Every structure is written in C-alpha cells, then in structure tokens.
Amino acid sequence: MKLTIITPERTAFDGEADSVVLNTVEGEIGILPGHLPLVTLLRAGDVQVEHQGQKQFLAVDKGFAEVSEDKIRVLTEAAIDVEEIDLEAVSKAEERARRYLAEAEGKPDLDPHELDQIQGSLRFAVAQRLAKGRRSR
C-alpha cells in the first residue's frame, strides 16, 4: 500500500506500507491491503507503519484519513517521526501552551484563531510525549 502523511507545511511521510494503524475518533483501526474505502477523523496520537518487517511510528495531530484502492492519505495539522522527537523541547512547548491558555482564560477579546493555535500546540505536544513514551518501552 502507499501511505502519504501531509501537513500544511510538508509531506511528513510518503512510502510503502504492509500495514498501518491509525488513531481515529472511534478508536484504533488497522489497515491492510484490500481494505474497504474509508474516510475517518483522526485524533492526535500516533500512526504505526509496518513495511517489510520494520515498524515506524509517527506522532500526528488531529486530521483526516482516506483509504482507497490500497492508498492511504492522512491530512493532519502536524506530524513527526517518533525518533525525531526531542522530549525536552516538547515539554517546553507544552508548558508554554498551558501558560498561554491559563492567561487567556477570562479574556473575552481573545482571537478564536489564536486560541485554536494554542490548543493545537498543546494537543500536539501531548501527542508527541505520549507517542514517544509508548514507543520507548
């Protein structure tokens, strides 16, 4: 199967896969060759890619996945290979986002787009930390 993971900034993954596990809003699902067509919402979490006996994990933010004709396309706000995650940088980003959210409480003039960006930063930081921890066991 062909798996492509696309963010607004770049293509985070573009390669072959024998199986893919996605974190959907309905729970984890496994995709194998010949899977029925599917469009689903993704939760922030990780994507497991297996190809020729090797496993690779990517942390992804919320998004969508489309499965069609042995092609899987993931459109997400952010994605990173778990091996590239710097836990110290992730902790700082999470702390910063939590601080901004705390400061934003009670500010009626806060731009909703800015609030969404802060919440997205926090969500992806948590997803990276959890994915890295889950895969280092």
Side-chain angles (χ1 to χ4, degrees), residues 28 45 55 60 69 89 105 113 116:
E28 274 191 354
K55 288 186 180 179
V60 298
E69 300 176 6
E105 284 183 11
H113 180 69
D116 188 52

Side-chain angles (χ1 to χ4, degrees), residues 6 8 31-32 34 63 94 105 115 136:
I6 302 166
I31 309 293
L32 296 170
E94 185 177 355
E105 284 183 11
L115 181 60
S136 21

Side-chain angles (χ1 to χ4, degrees), residues 46-85:
D46 59 359
V47 172
Q48 175 183 316
V49 182
E50 187 169 345
H51 184 60
Q52 297 180 341
Q54 300 292 315
K55 288 186 180 179
Q56 181 175 354
F57 300 91
L58 294 101
V60 298
D61 198 356
K62 68 179 183 173
F64 299 90
E66 175 189 31
V67 178
S68 177
E69 300 176 6
D70 286 340
K71 293 179 185 169
I72 304 167
R73 289 191 315 169
V74 172
L75 304 174
T76 180
E77 295 293 321
I80 185 171
D81 189 303
V82 169
E83 298 299 321
E84 297 175 16
I85 294 173

